[in-house]
Amino acid sequence: MSESTEGQGDAPDARPVTGKGAAKPALPLTVLERYADLGDEEFEYNMKHKSRGVAVIINNDKFDTQLQMNDRPGSSVDRDKLAGTLQFIGFKDIIVHNNLTSRKMVDVLKEVAKRDFTDSDCVFVALLSHGDEGVIYGTDGPVQYEQIFSLFKPPEVNKSLVGKPKIFLIQACRGQTLDGGVEFQCDSLPAKSNKPKRYVISKESDFLVAYSTVEGYFAWRNGVDGSWFIQSFCTVVNKDGRKLELGQLLTRVNRVVSYNFMSSTQNPQMNQMKQSPCITSTLTKSIYFN
């Protein structure tokens, strides 16, 4: 079989783009590195700035009557536990808002994204509310997740946050599918140069979004103890948050929620249901809060 020499450069795995557009300006030169030449420190975010950064908690537990949504008892427990956990891993600038409209949620986060993060490690955003596929609710209606995430991407975000972690923790339903669970048997058994480097990275880089549940499914909350996801996050981070990497912490949260919780309700169709958190990440390095 003969091989075509046509198109030996990079090409997208998508349908061809038609039409003529203005030529894009050339990107600045970026450092090209061999993986074998990189030390471990190249794979860790700098978490030694003067400030850990800004943490925002938006807790919506009461909703306009026209939405016909129930209140979210127990969410204030999540809010307070989470604020304490964030303090434990070094956040001092913690902003808490309760019962914001969809527009106000966007406005608050837009102001945070425009802050100067030069001397900060990262930004942390926790959203606690009702949700559905692709959206989370303000007190008066839904907000698309992508509208929120886009606030922290160029050109909207302050350039001082580019290349730094943007961490989102989301407690909300992502659909109305129930997880009945499945039974199983367990089969367990340094920098080499101080010379500055210049990179060009994707505007989608350096995000981590930890969802309370997989897309399409319910997320569960107890009216006294708070949500399964936030409870577990605080338990894990309060114990191991200063020694384990964030990805390891969230994997442990996934295990705690998946193994240790099952719904208890008088509605037989909703009883004895399970939940699995979901992590999506474009992080390019590890995050340690030690």
Side-chain angles (χ1 to χ4, degrees), residues 170-172 174 177-181 210-220 228-229 250-251 253-259 261 273-279:
I170 297 174
Q171 168 57 40
R174 300 180 70 193
T177 302
L178 292 166
D179 182 350
Y211 293 99
S212 57
T213 190
V214 175
E215 186 173 1
Y217 282 83
F218 279 113
W220 292 90
W228 300 357
F229 178 57
L250 291 172
T251 299
V253 172
N254 282 9
R255 179 191 167 93
V256 172
V257 174
S258 298
Y259 282 41
F261 288 87
M273 293 294 143
K274 302 290 288 182
Q275 176 180 324
S276 176
C278 177
I279 308 162

PDB file of all heavy atoms in Angstrom, residues 170-172 174 177-181 210-220 228-229 250-251 253-259 261 273-279:
ATOM      1  N   ILE A 170     -18.334  21.424  42.293  1.00  0.00           N
ATOM      2  CA  ILE A 170     -19.744  21.662  41.955  1.00  0.00           C
ATOM      3  C   ILE A 170     -20.633  20.602  42.585  1.00  0.00           C
ATOM      4  O   ILE A 170     -20.530  19.416  42.260  1.00  0.00           O
ATOM      5  CB  ILE A 170     -19.938  21.694  40.429  1.00  0.00           C
ATOM      6  CG1 ILE A 170     -19.149  22.875  39.842  1.00  0.00           C
ATOM      7  CG2 ILE A 170     -21.419  21.799  40.077  1.00  0.00           C
ATOM      8  CD1 ILE A 170     -19.135  22.937  38.347  1.00  0.00           C
ATOM      9  N   GLN A 171     -21.489  21.046  43.507  1.00  0.00           N
ATOM     10  CA  GLN A 171     -22.492  20.183  44.112  1.00  0.00           C
ATOM     11  C   GLN A 171     -23.842  20.536  43.501  1.00  0.00           C
ATOM     12  O   GLN A 171     -24.454  21.542  43.834  1.00  0.00           O
ATOM     13  CB  GLN A 171     -22.538  20.377  45.635  1.00  0.00           C
ATOM     14  CG  GLN A 171     -23.739  19.742  46.321  1.00  0.00           C
ATOM     15  CD  GLN A 171     -23.858  18.255  46.066  1.00  0.00           C
ATOM     16  OE1 GLN A 171     -22.858  17.537  46.056  1.00  0.00           O
ATOM     17  NE2 GLN A 171     -25.082  17.777  45.855  1.00  0.00           N
ATOM     18  N   ALA A 172     -24.291  19.708  42.565  1.00  0.00           N
ATOM     19  CA  ALA A 172     -25.566  19.933  41.890  1.00  0.00           C
ATOM     20  C   ALA A 172     -25.914  18.692  41.084  1.00  0.00           C
ATOM     21  O   ALA A 172     -25.025  17.960  40.644  1.00  0.00           O
ATOM     22  CB  ALA A 172     -25.491  21.157  40.963  1.00  0.00           C
ATOM     23  N   ARG A 174     -26.974  16.693  37.726  1.00  0.00           N
ATOM     24  CA  ARG A 174     -26.607  16.892  36.318  1.00  0.00           C
ATOM     25  C   ARG A 174     -27.582  16.158  35.403  1.00  0.00           C
ATOM     26  O   ARG A 174     -27.270  15.857  34.254  1.00  0.00           O
ATOM     27  CB  ARG A 174     -25.178  16.412  36.080  1.00  0.00           C
ATOM     28  CG  ARG A 174     -24.146  17.154  36.921  1.00  0.00           C
ATOM     29  CD  ARG A 174     -22.746  16.660  36.656  1.00  0.00           C
ATOM     30  NE  ARG A 174     -22.280  17.040  35.334  1.00  0.00           N
ATOM     31  CZ  ARG A 174     -21.201  16.521  34.756  1.00  0.00           C
ATOM     32  NH1 ARG A 174     -20.521  15.554  35.371  1.00  0.00           N
ATOM     33  NH2 ARG A 174     -20.820  16.910  33.555  1.00  0.00           N
ATOM     34  N   THR A 177     -31.320  10.886  36.101  1.00  0.00           N
ATOM     35  CA  THR A 177     -31.146   9.440  36.099  1.00  0.00           C
ATOM     36  C   THR A 177     -30.715   8.976  37.482  1.00  0.00           C
ATOM     37  O   THR A 177     -29.904   9.625  38.142  1.00  0.00           O
ATOM     38  CB  THR A 177     -30.073   9.028  35.062  1.00  0.00           C
ATOM     39  OG1 THR A 177     -30.470   9.498  33.781  1.00  0.00           O
ATOM     40  CG2 THR A 177     -29.918   7.514  35.013  1.00  0.00           C
ATOM     41  N   LEU A 178     -31.273   7.844  37.918  1.00  0.00           N
ATOM     42  CA  LEU A 178     -30.910   7.259  39.204  1.00  0.00           C
ATOM     43  C   LEU A 178     -29.860   6.173  39.011  1.00  0.00           C
ATOM     44  O   LEU A 178     -29.862   5.457  38.013  1.00  0.00           O
ATOM     45  CB  LEU A 178     -32.148   6.653  39.876  1.00  0.00           C
ATOM     46  CG  LEU A 178     -33.206   7.654  40.348  1.00  0.00           C
ATOM     47  CD1 LEU A 178     -34.510   6.939  40.675  1.00  0.00           C
ATOM     48  CD2 LEU A 178     -32.707   8.426  41.558  1.00  0.00           C
ATOM     49  N   ASP A 179     -28.957   6.072  39.979  1.00  0.00           N
ATOM     50  CA  ASP A 179     -27.898   5.065  39.949  1.00  0.00           C
ATOM     51  C   ASP A 179     -28.226   3.999  40.983  1.00  0.00           C
ATOM     52  O   ASP A 179     -28.077   4.211  42.187  1.00  0.00           O
ATOM     53  CB  ASP A 179     -26.554   5.728  40.263  1.00  0.00           C
ATOM     54  CG  ASP A 179     -25.385   4.759  40.199  1.00  0.00           C
ATOM     55  OD1 ASP A 179     -25.623   3.540  40.100  1.00  0.00           O
ATOM     56  OD2 ASP A 179     -24.235   5.226  40.248  1.00  0.00           O
ATOM     57  N   GLY A 180     -28.679   2.844  40.519  1.00  0.00           N
ATOM     58  CA  GLY A 180     -29.063   1.769  41.424  1.00  0.00           C
ATOM     59  C   GLY A 180     -27.901   0.974  41.958  1.00  0.00           C
ATOM     60  O   GLY A 180     -28.067   0.115  42.819  1.00  0.00           O
ATOM     61  N   GLY A 181     -26.694   1.243  41.465  1.00  0.00           N
ATOM     62  CA  GLY A 181     -25.513   0.556  41.951  1.00  0.00           C
ATOM     63  C   GLY A 181     -25.367  -0.833  41.343  1.00  0.00           C
ATOM     64  O   GLY A 181     -26.258  -1.336  40.653  1.00  0.00           O
ATOM     65  N   ALA A 210     -14.470  19.389  39.535  1.00  0.00           N
ATOM     66  CA  ALA A 210     -14.914  18.206  40.266  1.00  0.00           C
ATOM     67  C   ALA A 210     -16.420  18.302  40.455  1.00  0.00           C
ATOM     68  O   ALA A 210     -16.912  19.145  41.212  1.00  0.00           O
ATOM     69  CB  ALA A 210     -14.199  18.113  41.608  1.00  0.00           C
ATOM     70  N   TYR A 211     -17.139  17.472  39.721  1.00  0.00           N
ATOM     71  CA  TYR A 211     -18.608  17.442  39.814  1.00  0.00           C
ATOM     72  C   TYR A 211     -19.038  16.434  40.872  1.00  0.00           C
ATOM     73  O   TYR A 211     -18.400  15.385  41.040  1.00  0.00           O
ATOM     74  CB  TYR A 211     -19.221  17.027  38.482  1.00  0.00           C
ATOM     75  CG  TYR A 211     -19.040  17.994  37.341  1.00  0.00           C
ATOM     76  CD1 TYR A 211     -18.044  17.795  36.394  1.00  0.00           C
ATOM     77  CD2 TYR A 211     -19.892  19.081  37.184  1.00  0.00           C
ATOM     78  CE1 TYR A 211     -17.892  18.653  35.321  1.00  0.00           C
ATOM     79  CE2 TYR A 211     -19.744  19.958  36.112  1.00  0.00           C
ATOM     80  CZ  TYR A 211     -18.741  19.739  35.181  1.00  0.00           C
ATOM     81  OH  TYR A 211     -18.593  20.592  34.124  1.00  0.00           O
ATOM     82  N   SER A 212     -20.137  16.707  41.522  1.00  0.00           N
ATOM     83  CA  SER A 212     -20.649  15.793  42.534  1.00  0.00           C
ATOM     84  C   SER A 212     -21.166  14.496  41.944  1.00  0.00           C
ATOM     85  O   SER A 212     -21.256  13.485  42.637  1.00  0.00           O
ATOM     86  CB  SER A 212     -21.767  16.460  43.346  1.00  0.00           C
ATOM     87  OG  SER A 212     -22.806  16.904  42.474  1.00  0.00           O
ATOM     88  N   THR A 213     -21.499  14.506  40.649  1.00  0.00           N
ATOM     89  CA  THR A 213     -22.058  13.318  40.027  1.00  0.00           C
ATOM     90  C   THR A 213     -21.740  13.287  38.539  1.00  0.00           C
ATOM     91  O   THR A 213     -21.330  14.304  37.959  1.00  0.00           O
ATOM     92  CB  THR A 213     -23.585  13.257  40.246  1.00  0.00           C
ATOM     93  OG1 THR A 213     -24.088  11.990  39.833  1.00  0.00           O
ATOM     94  CG2 THR A 213     -24.300  14.359  39.468  1.00  0.00           C
ATOM     95  N   VAL A 214     -21.921  12.133  37.936  1.00  0.00           N
ATOM     96  CA  VAL A 214     -21.700  11.957  36.506  1.00  0.00           C
ATOM     97  C   VAL A 214     -22.813  12.655  35.734  1.00  0.00           C
ATOM     98  O   VAL A 214     -23.950  12.781  36.205  1.00  0.00           O
ATOM     99  CB  VAL A 214     -21.664  10.447  36.176  1.00  0.00           C
ATOM    100  CG1 VAL A 214     -21.566  10.206  34.681  1.00  0.00           C
ATOM    101  CG2 VAL A 214     -20.513   9.782  36.905  1.00  0.00           C
ATOM    102  N   GLU A 215     -22.500  13.118  34.522  1.00  0.00           N
ATOM    103  CA  GLU A 215     -23.493  13.806  33.703  1.00  0.00           C
ATOM    104  C   GLU A 215     -24.729  12.935  33.507  1.00  0.00           C
ATOM    105  O   GLU A 215     -24.638  11.749  33.204  1.00  0.00           O
ATOM    106  CB  GLU A 215     -22.907  14.177  32.341  1.00  0.00           C
ATOM    107  CG  GLU A 215     -23.841  15.018  31.484  1.00  0.00           C
ATOM    108  CD  GLU A 215     -23.187  15.522  30.212  1.00  0.00           C
ATOM    109  OE1 GLU A 215     -22.002  15.194  29.981  1.00  0.00           O
ATOM    110  OE2 GLU A 215     -23.861  16.225  29.454  1.00  0.00           O
ATOM    111  N   GLY A 216     -25.889  13.560  33.702  1.00  0.00           N
ATOM    112  CA  GLY A 216     -27.159  12.861  33.515  1.00  0.00           C
ATOM    113  C   GLY A 216     -27.792  12.341  34.786  1.00  0.00           C
ATOM    114  O   GLY A 216     -28.959  11.954  34.791  1.00  0.00           O
ATOM    115  N   TYR A 217     -27.021  12.366  35.908  1.00  0.00           N
ATOM    116  CA  TYR A 217     -27.495  11.719  37.133  1.00  0.00           C
ATOM    117  C   TYR A 217     -27.848  12.718  38.234  1.00  0.00           C
ATOM    118  O   TYR A 217     -27.397  13.859  38.259  1.00  0.00           O
ATOM    119  CB  TYR A 217     -26.422  10.767  37.665  1.00  0.00           C
ATOM    120  CG  TYR A 217     -26.349   9.458  36.914  1.00  0.00           C
ATOM    121  CD1 TYR A 217     -25.630   9.368  35.722  1.00  0.00           C
ATOM    122  CD2 TYR A 217     -26.999   8.326  37.383  1.00  0.00           C
ATOM    123  CE1 TYR A 217     -25.563   8.166  35.023  1.00  0.00           C
ATOM    124  CE2 TYR A 217     -26.936   7.126  36.691  1.00  0.00           C
ATOM    125  CZ  TYR A 217     -26.220   7.047  35.510  1.00  0.00           C
ATOM    126  OH  TYR A 217     -26.158   5.874  34.817  1.00  0.00           O
ATOM    127  N   PHE A 218     -28.661  12.214  39.188  1.00  0.00           N
ATOM    128  CA  PHE A 218     -28.950  12.953  40.406  1.00  0.00           C
ATOM    129  C   PHE A 218     -27.694  13.057  41.278  1.00  0.00           C
ATOM    130  O   PHE A 218     -26.817  12.193  41.231  1.00  0.00           O
ATOM    131  CB  PHE A 218     -30.020  12.234  41.236  1.00  0.00           C
ATOM    132  CG  PHE A 218     -31.436  12.481  40.787  1.00  0.00           C
ATOM    133  CD1 PHE A 218     -32.194  11.448  40.248  1.00  0.00           C
ATOM    134  CD2 PHE A 218     -32.022  13.729  40.921  1.00  0.00           C
ATOM    135  CE1 PHE A 218     -33.499  11.654  39.851  1.00  0.00           C
ATOM    136  CE2 PHE A 218     -33.330  13.958  40.532  1.00  0.00           C
ATOM    137  CZ  PHE A 218     -34.072  12.911  39.993  1.00  0.00           C
ATOM    138  N   ALA A 219     -27.641  14.113  42.104  1.00  0.00           N
ATOM    139  CA  ALA A 219     -26.677  14.220  43.198  1.00  0.00           C
ATOM    140  C   ALA A 219     -27.475  14.280  44.498  1.00  0.00           C
ATOM    141  O   ALA A 219     -28.505  14.946  44.562  1.00  0.00           O
ATOM    142  CB  ALA A 219     -25.818  15.472  43.035  1.00  0.00           C
ATOM    143  N   TRP A 220     -26.978  13.599  45.537  1.00  0.00           N
ATOM    144  CA  TRP A 220     -27.742  13.450  46.766  1.00  0.00           C
ATOM    145  C   TRP A 220     -27.234  14.356  47.880  1.00  0.00           C
ATOM    146  O   TRP A 220     -26.052  14.664  47.965  1.00  0.00           O
ATOM    147  CB  TRP A 220     -27.704  11.991  47.225  1.00  0.00           C
ATOM    148  CG  TRP A 220     -28.454  11.076  46.292  1.00  0.00           C
ATOM    149  CD1 TRP A 220     -27.958  10.415  45.209  1.00  0.00           C
ATOM    150  CD2 TRP A 220     -29.836  10.754  46.365  1.00  0.00           C
ATOM    151  NE1 TRP A 220     -28.953   9.691  44.591  1.00  0.00           N
ATOM    152  CE2 TRP A 220     -30.119   9.880  45.282  1.00  0.00           C
ATOM    153  CE3 TRP A 220     -30.880  11.103  47.231  1.00  0.00           C
ATOM    154  CZ2 TRP A 220     -31.384   9.352  45.047  1.00  0.00           C
ATOM    155  CZ3 TRP A 220     -32.144  10.585  46.999  1.00  0.00           C
ATOM    156  CH2 TRP A 220     -32.388   9.718  45.931  1.00  0.00           C
ATOM    157  N   TRP A 228     -23.555  14.405  50.083  1.00  0.00           N
ATOM    158  CA  TRP A 228     -22.566  13.319  50.174  1.00  0.00           C
ATOM    159  C   TRP A 228     -21.201  13.799  49.672  1.00  0.00           C
ATOM    160  O   TRP A 228     -20.167  13.484  50.263  1.00  0.00           O
ATOM    161  CB  TRP A 228     -23.015  12.139  49.324  1.00  0.00           C
ATOM    162  CG  TRP A 228     -24.319  11.525  49.684  1.00  0.00           C
ATOM    163  CD1 TRP A 228     -25.142  11.854  50.727  1.00  0.00           C
ATOM    164  CD2 TRP A 228     -24.965  10.452  48.993  1.00  0.00           C
ATOM    165  NE1 TRP A 228     -26.257  11.060  50.714  1.00  0.00           N
ATOM    166  CE2 TRP A 228     -26.182  10.186  49.666  1.00  0.00           C
ATOM    167  CE3 TRP A 228     -24.638   9.696  47.865  1.00  0.00           C
ATOM    168  CZ2 TRP A 228     -27.066   9.187  49.242  1.00  0.00           C
ATOM    169  CZ3 TRP A 228     -25.514   8.710  47.446  1.00  0.00           C
ATOM    170  CH2 TRP A 228     -26.715   8.455  48.129  1.00  0.00           C
ATOM    171  N   PHE A 229     -21.220  14.545  48.573  1.00  0.00           N
ATOM    172  CA  PHE A 229     -19.985  14.952  47.909  1.00  0.00           C
ATOM    173  C   PHE A 229     -19.184  15.932  48.757  1.00  0.00           C
ATOM    174  O   PHE A 229     -17.979  15.746  48.989  1.00  0.00           O
ATOM    175  CB  PHE A 229     -20.318  15.554  46.553  1.00  0.00           C
ATOM    176  CG  PHE A 229     -19.136  16.064  45.769  1.00  0.00           C
ATOM    177  CD1 PHE A 229     -18.085  15.234  45.458  1.00  0.00           C
ATOM    178  CD2 PHE A 229     -19.099  17.382  45.315  1.00  0.00           C
ATOM    179  CE1 PHE A 229     -17.002  15.687  44.722  1.00  0.00           C
ATOM    180  CE2 PHE A 229     -18.038  17.843  44.573  1.00  0.00           C
ATOM    181  CZ  PHE A 229     -16.979  17.001  44.284  1.00  0.00           C
ATOM    182  N   LEU A 250      -9.110  13.817  45.268  1.00  0.00           N
ATOM    183  CA  LEU A 250     -10.411  13.692  44.626  1.00  0.00           C
ATOM    184  C   LEU A 250     -10.739  12.248  44.273  1.00  0.00           C
ATOM    185  O   LEU A 250     -11.906  11.843  44.286  1.00  0.00           O
ATOM    186  CB  LEU A 250     -10.463  14.589  43.391  1.00  0.00           C
ATOM    187  CG  LEU A 250     -10.469  16.088  43.697  1.00  0.00           C
ATOM    188  CD1 LEU A 250     -10.330  16.901  42.413  1.00  0.00           C
ATOM    189  CD2 LEU A 250     -11.741  16.496  44.444  1.00  0.00           C
ATOM    190  N   THR A 251      -9.727  11.454  43.961  1.00  0.00           N
ATOM    191  CA  THR A 251      -9.958  10.031  43.733  1.00  0.00           C
ATOM    192  C   THR A 251     -10.448   9.365  45.013  1.00  0.00           C
ATOM    193  O   THR A 251     -11.350   8.509  44.985  1.00  0.00           O
ATOM    194  CB  THR A 251      -8.670   9.345  43.234  1.00  0.00           C
ATOM    195  OG1 THR A 251      -8.282   9.942  41.989  1.00  0.00           O
ATOM    196  CG2 THR A 251      -8.889   7.858  43.015  1.00  0.00           C
ATOM    197  N   VAL A 253     -12.088  10.943  47.370  1.00  0.00           N
ATOM    198  CA  VAL A 253     -13.468  11.428  47.528  1.00  0.00           C
ATOM    199  C   VAL A 253     -14.410  10.564  46.694  1.00  0.00           C
ATOM    200  O   VAL A 253     -15.493  10.168  47.160  1.00  0.00           O
ATOM    201  CB  VAL A 253     -13.575  12.912  47.119  1.00  0.00           C
ATOM    202  CG1 VAL A 253     -15.032  13.360  47.090  1.00  0.00           C
ATOM    203  CG2 VAL A 253     -12.769  13.794  48.074  1.00  0.00           C
ATOM    204  N   ASN A 254     -14.016  10.256  45.461  1.00  0.00           N
ATOM    205  CA  ASN A 254     -14.834   9.396  44.611  1.00  0.00           C
ATOM    206  C   ASN A 254     -15.111   8.058  45.287  1.00  0.00           C
ATOM    207  O   ASN A 254     -16.231   7.540  45.252  1.00  0.00           O
ATOM    208  CB  ASN A 254     -14.141   9.157  43.269  1.00  0.00           C
ATOM    209  CG  ASN A 254     -14.272  10.324  42.319  1.00  0.00           C
ATOM    210  OD1 ASN A 254     -14.739  11.391  42.700  1.00  0.00           O
ATOM    211  ND2 ASN A 254     -13.830  10.139  41.092  1.00  0.00           N
ATOM    212  N   ARG A 255     -14.072   7.493  45.884  1.00  0.00           N
ATOM    213  CA  ARG A 255     -14.251   6.198  46.550  1.00  0.00           C
ATOM    214  C   ARG A 255     -15.203   6.311  47.730  1.00  0.00           C
ATOM    215  O   ARG A 255     -16.093   5.463  47.917  1.00  0.00           O
ATOM    216  CB  ARG A 255     -12.903   5.648  47.026  1.00  0.00           C
ATOM    217  CG  ARG A 255     -13.052   4.313  47.755  1.00  0.00           C
ATOM    218  CD  ARG A 255     -11.787   3.872  48.471  1.00  0.00           C
ATOM    219  NE  ARG A 255     -12.067   2.780  49.379  1.00  0.00           N
ATOM    220  CZ  ARG A 255     -11.963   1.495  49.081  1.00  0.00           C
ATOM    221  NH1 ARG A 255     -11.585   1.131  47.877  1.00  0.00           N
ATOM    222  NH2 ARG A 255     -12.236   0.568  49.976  1.00  0.00           N
ATOM    223  N   VAL A 256     -15.006   7.326  48.568  1.00  0.00           N
ATOM    224  CA  VAL A 256     -15.843   7.480  49.764  1.00  0.00           C
ATOM    225  C   VAL A 256     -17.313   7.616  49.364  1.00  0.00           C
ATOM    226  O   VAL A 256     -18.195   6.954  49.930  1.00  0.00           O
ATOM    227  CB  VAL A 256     -15.383   8.692  50.596  1.00  0.00           C
ATOM    228  CG1 VAL A 256     -16.368   8.978  51.723  1.00  0.00           C
ATOM    229  CG2 VAL A 256     -13.993   8.452  51.172  1.00  0.00           C
ATOM    230  N   VAL A 257     -17.596   8.469  48.387  1.00  0.00           N
ATOM    231  CA  VAL A 257     -18.980   8.658  47.962  1.00  0.00           C
ATOM    232  C   VAL A 257     -19.535   7.385  47.343  1.00  0.00           C
ATOM    233  O   VAL A 257     -20.648   6.946  47.663  1.00  0.00           O
ATOM    234  CB  VAL A 257     -19.091   9.830  46.957  1.00  0.00           C
ATOM    235  CG1 VAL A 257     -20.512   9.927  46.403  1.00  0.00           C
ATOM    236  CG2 VAL A 257     -18.705  11.152  47.624  1.00  0.00           C
ATOM    237  N   SER A 258     -18.764   6.764  46.449  1.00  0.00           N
ATOM    238  CA  SER A 258     -19.251   5.594  45.722  1.00  0.00           C
ATOM    239  C   SER A 258     -19.468   4.390  46.630  1.00  0.00           C
ATOM    240  O   SER A 258     -20.411   3.617  46.440  1.00  0.00           O
ATOM    241  CB  SER A 258     -18.263   5.217  44.608  1.00  0.00           C
ATOM    242  OG  SER A 258     -18.144   6.251  43.663  1.00  0.00           O
ATOM    243  N   TYR A 259     -18.592   4.214  47.631  1.00  0.00           N
ATOM    244  CA  TYR A 259     -18.661   3.018  48.473  1.00  0.00           C
ATOM    245  C   TYR A 259     -19.535   3.204  49.721  1.00  0.00           C
ATOM    246  O   TYR A 259     -20.176   2.261  50.158  1.00  0.00           O
ATOM    247  CB  TYR A 259     -17.251   2.623  48.937  1.00  0.00           C
ATOM    248  CG  TYR A 259     -16.395   1.909  47.921  1.00  0.00           C
ATOM    249  CD1 TYR A 259     -16.384   2.303  46.583  1.00  0.00           C
ATOM    250  CD2 TYR A 259     -15.575   0.860  48.288  1.00  0.00           C
ATOM    251  CE1 TYR A 259     -15.574   1.668  45.652  1.00  0.00           C
ATOM    252  CE2 TYR A 259     -14.767   0.206  47.370  1.00  0.00           C
ATOM    253  CZ  TYR A 259     -14.769   0.619  46.043  1.00  0.00           C
ATOM    254  OH  TYR A 259     -13.974  -0.018  45.130  1.00  0.00           O
ATOM    255  N   PHE A 261     -21.999   5.597  50.648  1.00  0.00           N
ATOM    256  CA  PHE A 261     -23.306   6.250  50.713  1.00  0.00           C
ATOM    257  C   PHE A 261     -24.347   5.502  49.891  1.00  0.00           C
ATOM    258  O   PHE A 261     -24.053   4.961  48.823  1.00  0.00           O
ATOM    259  CB  PHE A 261     -23.214   7.695  50.213  1.00  0.00           C
ATOM    260  CG  PHE A 261     -22.492   8.622  51.147  1.00  0.00           C
ATOM    261  CD1 PHE A 261     -21.106   8.752  51.082  1.00  0.00           C
ATOM    262  CD2 PHE A 261     -23.183   9.351  52.100  1.00  0.00           C
ATOM    263  CE1 PHE A 261     -20.429   9.599  51.944  1.00  0.00           C
ATOM    264  CE2 PHE A 261     -22.518  10.207  52.966  1.00  0.00           C
ATOM    265  CZ  PHE A 261     -21.133  10.337  52.888  1.00  0.00           C
ATOM    266  N   MET A 273     -30.255   4.302  46.420  1.00  0.00           N
ATOM    267  CA  MET A 273     -29.562   4.718  45.207  1.00  0.00           C
ATOM    268  C   MET A 273     -28.127   5.146  45.534  1.00  0.00           C
ATOM    269  O   MET A 273     -27.803   5.511  46.658  1.00  0.00           O
ATOM    270  CB  MET A 273     -30.312   5.873  44.527  1.00  0.00           C
ATOM    271  CG  MET A 273     -31.656   5.458  43.982  1.00  0.00           C
ATOM    272  SD  MET A 273     -31.497   4.275  42.635  1.00  0.00           S
ATOM    273  CE  MET A 273     -32.906   3.205  42.947  1.00  0.00           C
ATOM    274  N   LYS A 274     -27.280   5.091  44.533  1.00  0.00           N
ATOM    275  CA  LYS A 274     -25.863   5.393  44.682  1.00  0.00           C
ATOM    276  C   LYS A 274     -25.484   6.647  43.899  1.00  0.00           C
ATOM    277  O   LYS A 274     -26.306   7.224  43.183  1.00  0.00           O
ATOM    278  CB  LYS A 274     -25.026   4.193  44.199  1.00  0.00           C
ATOM    279  CG  LYS A 274     -25.323   2.891  44.924  1.00  0.00           C
ATOM    280  CD  LYS A 274     -24.845   2.917  46.363  1.00  0.00           C
ATOM    281  CE  LYS A 274     -23.339   2.855  46.471  1.00  0.00           C
ATOM    282  NZ  LYS A 274     -22.862   2.827  47.871  1.00  0.00           N
ATOM    283  N   GLN A 275     -24.226   7.046  44.022  1.00  0.00           N
ATOM    284  CA  GLN A 275     -23.734   8.255  43.343  1.00  0.00           C
ATOM    285  C   GLN A 275     -22.240   8.127  43.107  1.00  0.00           C
ATOM    286  O   GLN A 275     -21.511   7.599  43.952  1.00  0.00           O
ATOM    287  CB  GLN A 275     -24.019   9.483  44.200  1.00  0.00           C
ATOM    288  CG  GLN A 275     -23.484  10.804  43.667  1.00  0.00           C
ATOM    289  CD  GLN A 275     -23.820  11.963  44.595  1.00  0.00           C
ATOM    290  OE1 GLN A 275     -24.880  12.007  45.207  1.00  0.00           O
ATOM    291  NE2 GLN A 275     -22.892  12.912  44.710  1.00  0.00           N
ATOM    292  N   SER A 276     -21.776   8.612  41.964  1.00  0.00           N
ATOM    293  CA  SER A 276     -20.344   8.632  41.674  1.00  0.00           C
ATOM    294  C   SER A 276     -19.935  10.019  41.220  1.00  0.00           C
ATOM    295  O   SER A 276     -20.414  10.509  40.196  1.00  0.00           O
ATOM    296  CB  SER A 276     -19.997   7.619  40.574  1.00  0.00           C
ATOM    297  OG  SER A 276     -18.613   7.716  40.252  1.00  0.00           O
ATOM    298  N   PRO A 277     -19.050  10.694  41.966  1.00  0.00           N
ATOM    299  CA  PRO A 277     -18.526  11.980  41.503  1.00  0.00           C
ATOM    300  C   PRO A 277     -17.728  11.815  40.212  1.00  0.00           C
ATOM    301  O   PRO A 277     -17.375  10.701  39.814  1.00  0.00           O
ATOM    302  CB  PRO A 277     -17.634  12.441  42.657  1.00  0.00           C
ATOM    303  CG  PRO A 277     -18.141  11.705  43.844  1.00  0.00           C
ATOM    304  CD  PRO A 277     -18.569  10.367  43.314  1.00  0.00           C
ATOM    305  N   CYS A 278     -17.435  12.927  39.582  1.00  0.00           N
ATOM    306  CA  CYS A 278     -16.777  12.916  38.272  1.00  0.00           C
ATOM    307  C   CYS A 278     -15.788  14.072  38.203  1.00  0.00           C
ATOM    308  O   CYS A 278     -16.129  15.211  38.529  1.00  0.00           O
ATOM    309  CB  CYS A 278     -17.835  13.044  37.169  1.00  0.00           C
ATOM    310  SG  CYS A 278     -17.173  13.131  35.510  1.00  0.00           S
ATOM    311  N   ILE A 279     -14.565  13.768  37.775  1.00  0.00           N
ATOM    312  CA  ILE A 279     -13.507  14.778  37.682  1.00  0.00           C
ATOM    313  C   ILE A 279     -13.157  15.005  36.217  1.00  0.00           C
ATOM    314  O   ILE A 279     -12.918  14.049  35.481  1.00  0.00           O
ATOM    315  CB  ILE A 279     -12.227  14.327  38.416  1.00  0.00           C
ATOM    316  CG1 ILE A 279     -12.545  13.882  39.848  1.00  0.00           C
ATOM    317  CG2 ILE A 279     -11.178  15.432  38.407  1.00  0.00           C
ATOM    318  CD1 ILE A 279     -11.453  13.047  40.471  1.00  0.00           C
TER     319      ILE A 279
END
